[in-house]
Amino acid sequence: MQYRLTAPAPGWTATTDVVVVGSGVAGLTVALNARKAGLRATVVTKAMLDDGSTRWAQGGIAAALGEGDTPEQHLDDTLVAGAGLCDEDAVRALVTEGPDAVRRLIAVGAAFDQDADGSILLTREGGHHRRRIAHAGGDATGAEISRALVAAVRSDPGIELIEHALVLDLLTDAEGHAAGLTLHVMGEGQRDGVGALRARAVVLATGGMGQVFSATTNPAVSTGDGVALALRAGADVADLEFVQFHPTVLWLGPDAEGQQPLVSEAVRGEGAHLVDASGERFMLGQHELAELAPRDIVAKAITRQMQLRGTEHMYLDGRHFGAEMWEHRFPTILASCRSHGIDPVTEPVPVAPAAHYASGGVRTDLSGRTSVPGLYACGEVACTGVHGANRLASNSLLEGLVFAERIAADLAARHAAGDLPERTVDVAAARGARPVPLLAPETRAEVQRLMSRGAGVLRSAASMAATAEGLARLASDARELSTEEKPADPRVETWEATNLHLVATALVAAAALRAETRGCHWREDFPERDDAHWRRHLTTTLDETGAPCVQG
Ligand SMILES: Cc1cc2nc3c(=O)[nH]c(=O)nc-3n(C[C@H](O)[C@H](O)[C@H](O)COP(=O)(O)OP(=O)(O)OC[C@H]3O[C@@H](n4cnc5c(N)ncnc54)[C@H](O)[C@@H]3O)c2cc1C
């Protein structure tokens, strides 16, 4: 059974070869490489081209580029962080193809920080035993990558760019092959409102789902739309319970909601210390890498300290860097802290964990293919198996690059073999998918509060039962509203709220089932890792009632 968001019938249609949803590192890299294979690409993006997580990435991109470093060592560090659930073949592809993928990104125009000899400067981040993080503009790596890729797609006449376009659902042909999508464009003229875009293949590159929680580093567009769309289309989604909480997000007060400023791991990589209110370092003795332990360990340690001391945050102390280093190496973070009245040069920075990265997503193989023929997923929306139960710092930009190139190679090979024909899709028939009731825009904040309260860094059977109950109540309220007499009101805010709700419900179902602590999934009632029962992936699909069904 396929489902779709309640929406008006498409009022216009257009055709392309490959439609890419999302304009972050993953989507733009797919588009650029699909073009090299002679395919027309259309990039559809929700807001402006650079509105996604990519632009916000600070620390950098991990690749074995340094002297003495090897893909094998990068692989080892990635597998350790992934806590037994990485797909080793996927990690091997990432680390061996990564260095050249970064070089190709440089060839596209991204300028990484270099030393006087022109060698790329490399820093360290949590979980890495080597300096292997390339960065740009000090701590503005994502902005530089985004700038370079946006410039490249804009200068390619074979790539069509549609901004302010919210993709709703997948269209499939009679064989069940992806054949395009429905979208809502806030445009002018002919392409305005809901339309249909036909394509030979569809690539989801919609980024993360951090907005499912109240406090997140993710921008407003990260509402998990790609995962929701894939679930409605019948695709397998995996590892949703593994949400990484970044340990050091600037604490802006108890009522802060939405996107919060990140204080990159690279600040700890350069020697800043985590301290409590009395200035005592609490990571010493907890892990051999102390402040540079993998993120889940640091996030848990901070949360434990906060519980122990009854406070809402800890501190990151980098006063010993001095003003010059802060200004030169971390200009973005310095400016962001100062704009909130905190000066890291003279005072410790208040920090607390916040939702940061979705390790799970739409399940793919090594070529980015999902379980729905012709539907690919790439970047943070995908679950390639690279991250397992926890992402190693700075592996995500790299994953976006490497697997985008792999998807483009698959599309090119299929195109050359005549296996990527034009698809015939009867748009009216495709609307036979069952429409799901829409949730009111206010639901967004309610979903976020429920999720942060019950399914955040600390989880237990009781907290997740309460969260699931709250989410179910929101859904039944929506069903009551969506009667013939009082139809739901389809628009961007209701579609996003409905996607957030579906993704949250699926996440909670997976997190409730996994009765162990592993990677970034921390169960207070099951504090140990349990390989005998749980060294396996949990896969989510929708059942015949449209509810998430988790198996594994
Ligand atoms: C503050 C911050 C710092 C980070 N630092 C690092 C770092 O140093 N190193 C690292 O490797 N990773 C880092 N990450 C993670 C990394 O930035 C992301 O995982 C990565 O950029 C994701 O790229 P992407 O292309 O998959 O998605 P994004 O860059 O998030 O792009 C998603 C795109 O999809 C579009 N979209 C979403 N839904 C729809 C829809 N329904 N219709 C149309 N378009 C849609 C969005 O508008 C956007 O264009 C950081 C993330 C954040 C938030």
Side-chain angles (χ1 to χ4, degrees), residues 204 226-227 230 235-238 360-364 370-371 375 377 381-384:
L204 294 178
V227 167
D236 289 349
V237 165
V362 187
R363 189 71 180 142
T364 71
T370 71
S371 58
L375 177 67
V381 69
C383 179
T384 59

Side-chain angles (χ1 to χ4, degrees), residues 58 97 232 307 324 493 498:
Q58 295 178 344
E97 294 168 26
R232 286 192 298 268
Q307 283 182 329
E324 203 184 307
E493 292 78 9
T498 308

Side-chain angles (χ1 to χ4, degrees), residues 366-387:
L366 293 181
S367 295
R369 297 176 186 211
T370 71
S371 58
V372 173
L375 177 67
Y376 294 77
C378 188
E380 192 166 340
V381 69
C383 179
T384 59
V386 152
H387 307 299

Side-chain angles (χ1 to χ4, degrees), residues 21-27 44-47 49 51-54 56-60 165-167 205-208 217-219 221 225 262 356-357 378-380 391 394-397:
V21 191
S23 53
V25 62
V44 181
T45 195
K46 208 187 232 188
L49 278 184
D51 278 318
S53 287
T54 298
W56 294 95
Q58 295 178 344
L166 182 88
V167 167
T206 49
T217 60
N218 291 191
V221 291
D225 295 359
L262 176 69
H356 184 54
Y357 185 80
C378 188
E380 192 166 340
R391 174 191 68 134
S394 286
N395 266 355
S396 38
L397 290 171

